[in-house]
Amino acid sequence: MYVDHERVAVDIGLEILEDNPHATFLHADMRQPDTILRNPTTTSMLDFTEPIAMLWGSMLHFIDDRDDLFGIFDRYKELLKPGDHIALSHVTWHFVNDNRAEQTRSGLDAYNERVNENLSVRDLDSIMRFFHGTEIADPGVVPLPDCKPDVPNHQADHSTLGRTMVVGGVGGLR
């Protein structure tokens, strides 16, 4: 089940999923977990007694701390049980090296001036809070180019270090 608050994204998603009875798109705001979790579309699509994986792809950094980001996230997480999984990606300055920082910050400032939902860049410790109560799968919470657990003997491409702002990881609830 996909959720987005932009009507155009939902309409396109519904069109793409039109012939898929196992997936749908809900027009809602992720900052309102109880509204989403009680929605008939949600309750008919998701059975929380079965294994669940919550995927938070490039979304959490659009929720401001003033909106109680961690409270919102925990409300969704409350429904999960041991064996369920959380996968997420998030922007951070942690891996941006000094010679790219100014350029990256300028680009982020320009982006935030042009959009309604600003990007909230969080430190790695804050991002790790999302994984509290989980066992983080290999390779851990790492820059996205290094999220390749299915590639045997994957070696990090150090040429990308210092250039990526996005980290990702998967955690299984204990």
Side-chain angles (χ1 to χ4, degrees):
M1 188 169 133
Y2 299 89
V3 177
D4 202 305
H5 73 280
E6 291 185 1
R7 183 79 247 176
V8 172
V10 173
D11 290 344
I12 292 169
L14 286 170
E15 186 176 317
I16 291 168
L17 298 172
E18 184 175 37
D19 296 326
N20 185 343
H22 304 293
T24 192
F25 227 109
L26 180 64
H27 183 224
D29 186 335
M30 290 300 292
R31 292 172 290 197
Q32 299 173 349
D34 292 321
T35 299
I36 291 170
L37 295 170
R38 291 185 189 127
N39 185 290
T41 300
T42 304
T43 57
S44 68
M45 183 64 64
L46 300 178
D47 179 355
F48 283 92
T49 65
E50 295 293 323
I52 294 282
M54 283 196 322
L55 311 176
W56 296 79
S58 296
M59 182 179 20
L60 293 167
H61 43 249
F62 289 109
I63 301 175
D64 194 276
D65 289 338
R66 293 175 300 203
D67 293 325
D68 188 22
L69 169 67
F70 293 102
I72 291 168
F73 188 82
D74 287 345
R75 177 65 186 103
Y76 289 102
K77 196 173 166 185
E78 287 171 6
L79 297 174
L80 301 181
K81 62 194 171 314
D84 290 347
H85 287 79
I86 295 168
L88 63 87
S89 61
H90 201 296
V91 294
T92 183
W93 294 117
H94 189 79
F95 295 100
V96 176
N97 63 27
D98 291 340
N99 64 354
R100 294 218 178 245
E102 185 177 331
Q103 177 185 10
T104 305
R105 286 181 200 278
S106 295
L108 180 64
D109 289 344
Y111 172 83
N112 282 341
E113 288 174 11
R114 291 180 177 86
V115 298
N116 291 330
E117 288 85 20
N118 286 347
L119 213 59
S120 295
V121 180
R122 295 188 174 87
D123 61 36
L124 198 55
D125 288 339
S126 294
I127 295 167
M128 294 304 293
R129 283 180 59 187
F130 297 115
F131 292 101
H132 178 75
T134 73
E135 184 174 327
I136 299 174
D138 286 336
V141 178
V142 297
L144 284 189
D146 292 331
C147 286
K148 299 184 183 204
D150 57 335
V151 177
N153 303 316
H154 171 71
Q155 296 295 313
D157 177 2
H158 294 292
S159 69
T160 64
L161 284 178
R163 297 189 310 188
T164 185
M165 285 186 70
V166 186
V167 296
V170 176
L173 271 76
R174 298 178 262 190

